Amino acid sequence: MASQRRTTIHDVAALAGVSRSAVSKAMNGQEGLAPGTRKKILAAAATLDWSPSPAASTLRGSRSRSVGLVISRGPDLLAADAFFAVLIAGAESVLAPRRYGLQLHLLSTAQSAESETYRQLTRDRRVDGFILTESRIRDARFELLRELGAPFVLIGEPWQDDRVEHILVSDAMAGMRDLAQHLVQAGHRRILYVGGPEDLVHTLRRREAFARALEDAGGPLPRVVSAAFDAKDARRATREALAVPERPTVIVYGNDTMAIAGAGEAQRLGFRVPEDVAVVGYDNLPMGEWVYPTITTVAQDLHAIGAAAAAALLRELGDTSVEIPPVAPSTLVIRESTTLDRA
Amino acid sequence: MASQRRTTIHDVAALAGVSRSAVSKAMNGQEGLAPGTRKKILAAAATLDWSPSPAASTLRGSRSRSVGLVISRGPDLLAADAFFAVLIAGAESVLAPRRYGLQLHLLSTAQSAESETYRQLTRDRRVDGFILTESRIRDARFELLRELGAPFVLIGEPWQDDRVEHILVSDAMAGMRDLAQHLVQAGHRRILYVGGPEDLVHTLRRREAFARALEDAGGPLPRVVSAAFDAKDARRATREALAVPERPTVIVYGNDTMAIAGAGEAQRLGFRVPEDVAVVGYDNLPMGEWVYPTITTVAQDLHAIGAAAAAALLRELGDTSVEIPPVAPSTLVIRESTTLDRA
DNA sequence: TTGAAAGCGCTAACAA
DNA sequence: TTGTTAGCGCTTTCAA
């Protein structure tokens, strides 16, 4: 095997008959190049199948062409939730064609590890910016990242006190409105809402949206309890809810994971779903279609959200050629867990 | 804000009173340094909270301190399977403390994108090596990565034709033996095995192991069909299996995803699980504990497997200080889907 | 509008 | 055993 020297900016410059700095300018879409020169350079780069070395760019103080995603959750949740896989696949669909990489960090441990991870990734210049998932109430990550000077995009709605410029919301109201009507029409009068962790903004938003939608639809006031978003907690909440005489006729959960676990527990206790107690989730994870009964849910397009977040971050990083794809509002997906009738 | 110059190898060298090359040697655990000098240097590095810049190391031709994980599967499967989340969390537990990053690429598209991804990651020197998941029959990735000169570790057993040096197996036989006994003792005589995609090595291994274990336990020959590992296919296979008069009394699926979907479909058709038909999965994903009935399954410790794969790769990359943690053999986890009796 | 040159932080070959 | 030095490939002043 011959000693294959790697293609560098030098080769491209030579082929195009220009200087290396011209090539750099052309590749980074900068001003001050004759259109013809630019074209010639891009053609040469394509011919040689060359693109700038991320390591060299990083070292020089420019972009690393990589974005960071730090996910910190308990090990159970992490394993459980297909949520992130879909989100990541969506982000990838925007990043990969632009030769951006994704640095993933899954932390199943403490908070301290989280900020340390952000610090290190920034300090080592491994990433140009971050995608933050799951907006928290009084989110400490914003201040940290501003202090680190790292650009970021938040998936979700920032809490009122947080001044975050770049956000992305998938409106819960649309789906909740349809859900409320669906439940009221079905004649449900005792409704339990099992929300997620109290430190997440969307826990509040979904709960509020549901309560408002229910009111608008002329339905009853829902009873509300909180759970930790994991299956164990959902089971506990379900068991307690069904143990009383005035038990709910429908339980709406803050996500699909809890809804599936809740429906399972209800059945274990001898209740038929949905005849004795109906069940509703949120997210529309694929899993909801596998179980029996299939789970009625409020769908959000996580793939689109992931793509939009990545696009917004790239724009934030200065790539104005990226369009931020629209994120559709949530919709109701009616399945067996609210409609099945085995007569 | 003052102009915070970043800490570099120079500062550490100055503090320790040595040259920069000495610092480099100390940090990379190389020979030819007096023990005292080494100690002094490491102390200085710790004091300044410094570690080498990955970008500079990469550019210099040394390690990037990052490993790649390319996952290519259909979008449905990708979203569905908690499998990868656990594996990744396990890998992280080894990589993060050693300041290694993980570059993740989720491809929901064609094969061509896969090899292109490996090529680019290697060419851009974004990663020092790869973790490959899911050993395939006549796996084309081995040749590609050898050609690219990229070190890698395969999770799973290589197919016989593939000469792959670095592998990691979680033995299926142990769990299958216990499963066979469990089923035979329960008196099952008509057994269906629904295996995964035919191009995966573990599809064959699990199927063989199950058949052998069943024979050893004095059980009947299982009937065998294949599915695509996704929920839709599992449902189809289940429907067909239960449509005939001589229907199986237990269906063993190649993974938990299929088992859950299969159990759901059986119930939808009016069969009780496990009274009319029992169900068994493989993997022991958290999900299996949420549904009703909970899914009996052969457990493999995916977290440990991910950690072991990362450790093996780091050793392959020359970090001999990493111990490869042992991966326990599979075990049987008996749950409701084979035992519940509602009398 | 274009090109020359300096240097980002590190490692390894070589010299002392 | 330790230090000196020459780049790795790129971007960005600055000068032409």
Side-chain angles (χ1 to χ4, degrees), chain A residues 28-61:
Chain A
N28 295 298
Q30 289 176 14
E31 306 282 298
L33 269 188
T37 313
R38 180 181 305 273
K39 218 167 176 177
K40 215 167 43 185
I41 293 171
L42 293 178
T47 303
L48 298 179
D49 188 26
W50 172 86
S51 61
S53 145
S57 302
T58 304
L59 186 55
R60 184 59 185 77

Side-chain angles (χ1 to χ4, degrees), chain A residues 40 72 75 87 100 121 147 186 196 218 233 262 274 306:
Chain A
K40 215 167 43 185
S72 28
L87 219 52
Y100 267 79
L121 287 174
E147 177 199 323
D233 231 42

Side-chain angles (χ1 to χ4, degrees), chain B residues 41 73 97 100 223 230-231 233 235 267 272:
Chain B
I41 292 171
R73 280 186 159 208
Y100 266 79
R223 203 164 71 78
D230 68 9
D233 231 42
R235 282 168 75 155
Q267 294 178 84
R272 289 166 307 159

